[in-house]
Amino acid sequence: MSVTAARGFRACGIAAGIKESGGADLALVVNDGPSLAAAGVFTTNRVKAAPVLWSEQVLKGGQVSAVVLNSGGANACTGPRGFQDTHATAERAAALLGHSAGEVAVCSTGLIGVPLPMDRLLAGLDAAVADLSEHGGEKAALAIMTTDTVAKTAVAAGDGWTVGGMAKGAGMLAPGLATMLVVLTTDAVADPETLDLALRSATRTTFDRIDSDGCMSTNDTVLLLASGASGVTPDAGAFAEAVRAVCADLAHQLIGDAEGASKDIRIEVVNAASEDDAVEVGRSVARNNLLKCAVHGEDPNWGRVLSAIGTTSATFDPDQLSVAINGVWVCKGGSVGEDRELVDMRFREVRITADLAAGSESAVIWTNDLTADYVHENSAYSS
Amino acid sequence: MSVTAARGFRACGIAAGIKESGGADLALVVNDGPSLAAAGVFTTNRVKAAPVLWSEQVLKGGQVSAVVLNSGGANACTGPRGFQDTHATAERAAALLGHSAGEVAVCSTGLIGVPLPMDRLLAGLDAAVADLSEHGGEKAALAIMTTDTVAKTAVAAGDGWTVGGMAKGAGMLAPGLATMLVVLTTDAVADPETLDLALRSATRTTFDRIDSDGCMSTNDTVLLLASGASGVTPDAGAFAEAVRAVCADLAHQLIGDAEGASKDIRIEVVNAASEDDAVEVGRSVARNNLLKCAVHGEDPNWGRVLSAIGTTSATFDPDQLSVAINGVWVCKGGSVGEDRELVDMRFREVRITADLAAGSESAVIWTNDLTADYVHENSAYSS
């Protein structure tokens, strides 16, 4: 599974000593071709980590032969030295693999504002190259974890081709775009433009619609690499759907493992005048701390949904808003609806439906509840 | 102090049985004139409670003879019945006082989506009118509390005139505008236009710049009533400054009593290209849950400040951003600055300075830390 589910890829994950814990912290994904076509989507945060600035340039060429990923440090807000460190990482990997550094993408994740221990990272690259394997996908997925509690991988099988991938991310999850590190691989034959189209279409409705805590990262990267090793050129629609399916699977795993969360909240906005309206309303509801606390307490507090909707610029009439929680329409026509005592919120997944009665568009945003564990995890130590 | 510090006003606060706890829940403020000039500022939330819709209409006339305020229920999202209830409240108060209902403002606060117990509220009004006193300001301030732990009052003395006021608010505090119930009174002679100008100018830089939890209320109301009882027409500048001072004092008290908070965070954005930029950046930082958790943990995690700045549209160069925490410039030029170990965060007030290096404008936004107590207070029961 993971990034080695598709043919033409090798990967590995090792402990290079970047993390103080001594856990796995360096992953390498290598595309053995014959094609090196690739596409990427990056954070829209204007404060971008050095590896994002580097990889954006690499992806402009549409070719990626390898991806170096480290946990244990974001290499963000580290100035010119940070960029030099990323460059040196790509150079070392390229030299070891006999590739061009301009085709080596780099991803980092961890604490912002701390330089990477480059001696350990570069020495780790030597060991990583020696450890590369066609079965190394799972180890790679383990090595990119930070506060994640489980490795996240997914795969979708096409007709003679495969799309697989891995993801990390548990906090600082907000659409911006990607909000995490994700590497997807495929053995399908596809040019960079096809990959780019499929990837942007997929991320727009998956990673871009999860919002764990409203905080956008400096390091978000989603890469899609195609080896062409299957020799099959898939139908564009089927390929795009497979990429979307893998992204949706990984996005759901990210929400399911979000820091401190005890509930996964699915916010569906229906009958909106536009998809943009639906997304704006969904995000506003997803970011309402009071509502997230209420869900944590299994309290069907629909007033907090309405107060969040009221802060948006979406088209709606306050007297026409309706809200269902787990299928019970507790708010109808902007006022009291069915008995809130009928709402059963004992299970992990909570479904909130907001009906704007303003059109026929819809969108789904996923978030989590806000818990004392989230506060603890993000206040007890730097991350 | 409170709303009876200025001459020409009577007030009271009683327990009408609206709150299940049996605590004080009904306040009345009466302007005995000779002037009834008034101004008001209301929530910009598009989902407005019935008393907001009513009082907005009352304030259009520029005359307020009395304000009825209840805690124990927001009368928001209560449909046509909710508006009728507000109307009946104003009518009853007007009849008891011999006033016109069109000059009686109404404010409510409490749980959204629950109709008020009108029998108790109307009976309570009879008792409230009987209890009115020129010394009733403190009792009025107590009766409007919800999750507040202390009553909030302030006063500023002019040359022969006074501005006093009371406020409630502890959660759902975000600029929108007001984010709480506030009644200010003055015995100065001032027409509605002068009051409106002073009030809007004051709220713009006080109540509109506190953001406890990013959640905007449906009931926010700030009223300023002038009795003219002093017979003094103050200098417009001195009067505006007194109103601003009282608003600033009350705003600070609101942040100091925010739900579950253990730290008051003062975010000053300096060297911005515009005041709007400074406010946008300040609010983005104030709403970053990860930063609020870090401050709770006394962790000078400046990376979270930069990642929040990076989500705004303000003018800045990421490589020119600097951040100080309690006076230590832990981030300089977008990268590592002074030693973070130098930052002392033991005290309740934490000062974050963000230097955008893009101009000469500035703004201060106040927020709180995010704590397990906030989660508990907002998940353990409906509010």
Side-chain angles (χ1 to χ4, degrees):
Chain A
M1 297 304 135
S2 183
V3 288
T4 46
R7 283 162 286 179
F9 292 92
R10 288 175 296 150
C12 70
I14 65 156
I18 306 168
K19 281 181 180 167
E20 288 186 10
S21 69
D25 51 19
L26 186 63
L28 185 58
V29 180
V30 174
N31 182 356
D32 290 320
S35 162
L36 298 182
V41 179
F42 301 90
T43 183
T44 55
N45 198 311
R46 292 169 60 201
V47 176
K48 296 182 202 298
V52 168
L53 295 171
W54 170 267
S55 297
E56 280 183 333
Q57 292 304 313
V58 169
L59 266 296
K60 282 187 181 165
Q63 307 273 313
V64 170
S65 66
V67 186
V68 181
L69 308 98
N70 76 273
S71 52
N75 196 10
C77 307
T78 43
R81 173 180 165 186
F83 193 80
Q84 288 162 16
D85 287 347
T86 292
H87 190 178
T89 302
E91 288 281 1
R92 174 71 72 104
L96 289 168
L97 295 165
H99 297 172
S100 155
E103 295 175 352
V104 176
V106 179
C107 304
S108 299
T109 179
L111 186 60
I112 297 173
V114 179
L116 291 171
M118 286 305 293
D119 50 344
R120 297 180 186 182
L121 196 157
L122 296 179
L125 272 177
D126 297 353
V129 169
D131 200 42
L132 283 168
S133 153
E134 293 177 2
H135 309 287
E138 297 296 335
K139 285 170 79 175
L142 286 165
I144 59 174
M145 289 166 60
T146 52
T147 55
D148 306 68
T149 65
V150 293
K152 299 164 182 77
T153 65
V155 67
D159 189 8
W161 49 272
T162 296
V163 177
M166 64 180 184
K168 69 77 48 181
M172 212 177 256
L173 289 180
L177 194 257
T179 73
M180 67 284 305
L181 302 186
V182 178
V183 179
L184 307 174
T185 59
T186 181
D187 47 17
V189 176
D191 59 26
E193 292 71 29
T194 302
L195 297 176
D196 189 66
L197 202 64
L199 187 61
R200 287 186 190 280
S201 168
T203 55
R204 194 178 70 84
T205 59
T206 56
F207 297 125
D208 204 19
R209 297 212 177 151
I210 61 176
D211 191 332
S212 159
D213 57 8
C215 299
M216 190 197 299
S217 165
T218 51
N219 287 57
D220 309 332
T221 301
V222 184
L223 301 176
L224 172 57
L225 280 55
S227 69
S230 70
V232 179
T233 304
D235 168 73
F239 180 69
E241 173 52 26
V243 173
R244 192 205 63 76
V246 171
C247 289
D249 188 336
L250 291 172
H252 202 77
Q253 291 180 54
L254 290 167
I255 279 289
D257 194 29
E259 288 170 350
S262 71
K263 302 280 190 191
D264 302 338
I265 310 173
R266 180 185 191 273
I267 301 160
E268 181 168 22
V269 182
V270 300
N271 296 325
S274 69
E275 187 180 358
D276 284 350
D277 272 11
V279 171
E280 183 192 359
V281 167
R283 285 188 185 166
S284 177
V285 174
R287 292 182 178 186
N288 190 281
N289 279 351
L290 289 170
L291 175 66
K292 289 155 73 88
C293 287
V295 170
H296 178 54
E298 303 186 349
D299 169 16
N301 197 325
W302 59 267
R304 293 177 180 175
V305 178
L306 258 67
S307 73
I309 297 173
T311 65
T312 70
S313 62
T315 299
F316 67 82
D317 174 346
D319 293 331
Q320 298 296 320
L321 295 172
S322 296
V323 173
I325 301 179
N326 282 352
V328 180
W329 289 92
V330 283
C331 170
K332 289 183 182 176
S335 183
V336 187
E338 295 173 32
D339 186 353
R340 45 181 280 155
E341 299 299 324
L342 298 174
V343 181
D344 183 350
M345 298 178 74
R346 288 173 298 169
F347 299 101
R348 183 172 176 105
E349 184 169 314
V350 173
R351 288 168 294 113
I352 296 175
T353 311
D355 185 339
L356 302 189
S360 57
E361 298 299 319
S362 64
V364 173
I365 302 282
W366 284 90
T367 188
N368 302 102
D369 56 343
L370 181 57
T371 70
D373 286 345
Y374 176 89
V375 174
H376 177 74
E377 191 156 345
N378 288 294
S379 61
Y381 58 89
S382 260
S383 64
Chain B
M1 299 299 136
S2 183
V3 289
T4 48
R7 283 162 286 179
F9 293 92
R10 288 176 296 151
C12 70
I14 66 157
I18 306 168
K19 282 181 180 167
E20 288 186 7
S21 68
D25 50 21
L26 186 64
L28 184 59
V29 180
V30 174
N31 182 355
D32 289 321
S35 162
L36 298 181
V41 179
F42 301 91
T43 183
T44 55
N45 197 311
R46 293 169 58 201
V47 176
K48 296 182 201 300
V52 169
L53 296 171
W54 171 267
S55 296
E56 281 183 332
Q57 292 304 313
V58 169
L59 266 295
K60 283 188 180 165
Q63 306 275 313
V64 171
S65 66
V67 186
V68 180
L69 308 97
N70 75 274
S71 53
N75 197 10
C77 307
T78 43
R81 173 180 164 185
F83 193 80
Q84 287 162 16
D85 286 348
T86 293
H87 189 176
T89 301
E91 288 280 1
R92 174 72 70 103
L96 290 167
L97 295 165
H99 296 173
S100 155
E103 295 175 355
V104 176
V106 179
C107 303
S108 299
T109 181
L111 186 61
I112 296 173
V114 179
L116 291 171
M118 287 305 293
D119 49 343
R120 297 179 187 182
L121 196 157
L122 295 179
L125 272 177
D126 297 353
V129 169
D131 201 42
L132 282 168
S133 154
E134 292 177 2
H135 309 287
E138 296 296 336
K139 284 170 79 176
L142 285 165
I144 60 174
M145 290 166 60
T146 53
T147 55
D148 308 67
T149 64
V150 292
K152 298 164 182 79
T153 65
V155 67
D159 189 8
W161 49 271
T162 296
V163 177
M166 64 179 184
K168 68 77 50 180
M172 210 177 258
L173 288 181
L177 195 256
T179 74
M180 67 284 304
L181 302 185
V182 178
V183 179
L184 307 174
T185 58
T186 180
D187 47 17
V189 176
D191 58 28
E193 292 69 31
T194 302
L195 297 177
D196 189 66
L197 202 65
L199 187 60
R200 287 185 190 280
S201 168
T203 55
R204 193 178 71 84
T205 58
T206 56
F207 298 125
D208 203 19
R209 296 209 179 155
I210 62 175
D211 191 334
S212 159
D213 58 7
C215 299
M216 189 198 298
S217 164
T218 51
N219 287 56
D220 309 332
T221 302
V222 185
L223 301 176
L224 172 57
L225 280 54
S227 69
S230 70
V232 180
T233 304
D235 168 73
F239 180 68
E241 173 52 26
V243 173
R244 194 206 62 76
V246 171
C247 288
D249 188 336
L250 292 172
H252 201 77
Q253 292 181 53
L254 289 167
I255 279 290
D257 193 29
E259 288 170 349
S262 70
K263 302 281 190 192
D264 302 338
I265 310 173
R266 180 185 191 273
I267 300 160
E268 182 166 22
V269 181
V270 300
N271 297 325
S274 68
E275 187 180 357
D276 284 351
D277 272 11
V279 171
E280 183 192 359
V281 167
R283 285 188 184 166
S284 178
V285 174
R287 292 182 179 185
N288 190 281
N289 279 351
L290 289 169
L291 174 67
K292 288 154 74 87
C293 286
V295 170
H296 178 54
E298 301 185 351
D299 170 15
N301 196 324
W302 58 267
R304 294 177 180 175
V305 178
L306 258 68
S307 73
I309 297 173
T311 65
T312 70
S313 62
T315 299
F316 67 82
D317 174 346
D319 293 330
Q320 298 296 320
L321 295 173
S322 297
V323 173
I325 301 179
N326 283 352
V328 180
W329 289 92
V330 284
C331 170
K332 289 182 181 175
S335 183
V336 187
E338 295 173 32
D339 187 353
R340 45 181 279 155
E341 300 298 325
L342 298 174
V343 182
D344 184 349
M345 299 177 72
R346 289 172 298 168
F347 299 101
R348 182 171 177 106
E349 184 169 315
V350 173
R351 289 169 293 112
I352 296 176
T353 311
D355 185 338
L356 302 189
S360 57
E361 298 298 318
S362 65
V364 173
I365 302 282
W366 283 90
T367 188
N368 302 102
D369 57 342
L370 181 57
T371 70
D373 286 345
Y374 176 88
V375 174
H376 177 74
E377 191 156 345
N378 288 295
S379 62
Y381 57 88
S382 260
S383 65

